[in-house]
Amino acid sequence: MKTRILTAIVLLSFLSILLCFYNYKFCLAVIIVISSLIQVEWEFLMRHSLFNTLNKNNLQIDDNKHKKFDIIISIAMFISNTFILFFILDFCIKKFDGLSVLVIVGLIGILWLISSLTALFKPIGSLSNLSKQFFYRILPNLTSIALVFSCVIILNHIWIGKISLLLFVLPLVWLTDSLAYFIGRKFGKRKLAANISPKKTFEGAIGGVLLANITIGILYYLNSGYFSVILFMYFLGLSILSVIGDLFQSRLKREFNIKDSSQLLPGHGGLFDRFDAAIPVILFAVYFPDYKILENIVKPITGWI
């Protein structure tokens, strides 16, 4: 517990410094690095499943060699992923307008949503065959690209007063998760997904979503002096997506019989464990219900970097 709290303090301190000394290019670099690490950890789950499949077929793999192989592959993938994301971002900014980027993010977001809901309604063990693994290996690559695009759009165009929409979206995710935990612990009776995440309850999820939205709605109003039913529905949808994102990652870990995506954050697991609920929220947060903002986004995006 001490390690978990200490890691949280370090992360919050880093976030505070990032906000106090805001620099767009540095923030963009941090986002790309985080997206790349999430992609590496996601693909680690798939490799772990592949080794399990080989072992079941009596093709025994030495554990020490397996760990060394994972470390080498993960480092190589992180470096290559980071450069690829920078290249793709630079290429798209030069070639595409904002509307094209919104379409790309939307299509990948829909693909993520269909994939996650499909996985959630399938029994444990149904994703272990290699043909389905191939599909779920493509998904993290596409998702990391869409995450970077979405964050670029938000950081450039979707500001509520002097505050980026990200500063409403991320607390929404964390509040939904935290409130769902405490409400579920106190009042929870019916399991939300017993085979995937036994501690989650319907009461916790519903209470967490509603209270998180009320809290964010109040903060939004205090900052902008404006709120509406449409905005409430927008944040409500994002909050529900955060629950789906959390369950989807738990589903993958349950499928591949692994506790954490990595040990990068002591006491917390990996970045994929911390940002699982935020991934779909960030993907769909770009579709902010404000015509003037969306009209500005779809203009040519030259000069984003």
Side-chain angles (χ1 to χ4, degrees), residues 10-188:
V10 172
L11 291 174
L12 288 173
S13 300
F14 176 75
L15 180 61
S16 300
I17 293 170
L18 201 64
L19 295 176
C20 292
F21 303 97
Y22 176 78
N23 179 279
Y24 171 69
K25 290 185 177 181
F26 181 70
C27 285
L28 182 59
V30 170
I31 288 166
I32 289 176
V33 168
I34 290 175
S35 298
S36 181
L37 285 170
I38 289 172
Q39 181 181 341
V40 169
E41 291 178 352
W42 193 338
E43 290 171 339
F44 163 75
L45 297 179
M46 309 306 295
R47 287 202 307 278
H48 188 272
S49 174
L50 177 59
F51 278 106
N52 285 343
T53 302
L54 292 174
N55 286 334
K56 286 179 182 178
N57 291 322
N58 296 320
L59 297 172
Q60 297 297 323
I61 306 296
D62 182 80
D63 283 341
N64 290 328
K65 290 182 178 179
H66 179 188
K67 290 178 181 178
K68 290 179 181 178
F69 174 81
D70 262 329
I71 292 172
I72 294 170
I73 291 296
S74 295
I75 293 172
M77 289 184 67
F78 167 69
I79 295 171
S80 62
N81 289 347
T82 303
F83 279 103
I84 289 170
L85 285 173
F86 269 111
F87 173 79
I88 291 175
L89 181 62
D90 182 63
F91 174 82
C92 289
I93 284 174
K94 292 176 180 177
K95 298 293 183 180
F96 299 148
D97 59 14
L99 179 59
S100 301
V101 175
L102 278 177
V103 170
I104 293 171
V105 172
L107 290 175
I108 295 175
I110 292 170
L111 179 63
W112 182 95
L113 187 59
I114 293 172
S115 303
S116 60
L117 291 175
T118 301
L120 291 178
F121 286 101
K122 287 197 174 284
I124 303 297
S126 62
L127 305 180
S128 296
N129 68 69
L130 294 180
S131 62
K132 289 179 181 176
Q133 282 187 32
F134 176 75
F135 172 74
Y136 282 98
R137 282 177 184 274
I138 296 174
L139 191 58
N141 295 277
L142 296 175
T143 302
S144 64
I145 293 170
L147 277 175
V148 173
F149 283 169
S150 186
C151 286
V152 168
I153 291 173
I154 293 171
L155 287 174
N156 277 274
H157 294 291
I158 310 182
W159 287 68
I160 313 304
K162 294 184 178 180
I163 300 179
S164 172
L165 181 65
L166 274 179
L167 294 185
F168 287 98
V169 165
L170 293 179
L172 175 68
V173 173
W174 299 329
L175 276 171
T176 301
D177 183 54
S178 300
L179 290 170
Y181 171 77
F182 288 112
I183 293 172
R185 192 173 179 180
K186 182 70 175 179
F187 304 104

Side-chain angles (χ1 to χ4, degrees), residues 254-269:
R254 187 73 64 177
E255 175 76 27
F256 305 133
N257 194 29
I258 193 167
K259 184 180 179 181
D260 296 317
S261 58
S262 79
Q263 297 300 321
L264 188 63
L265 304 175
H268 291 264

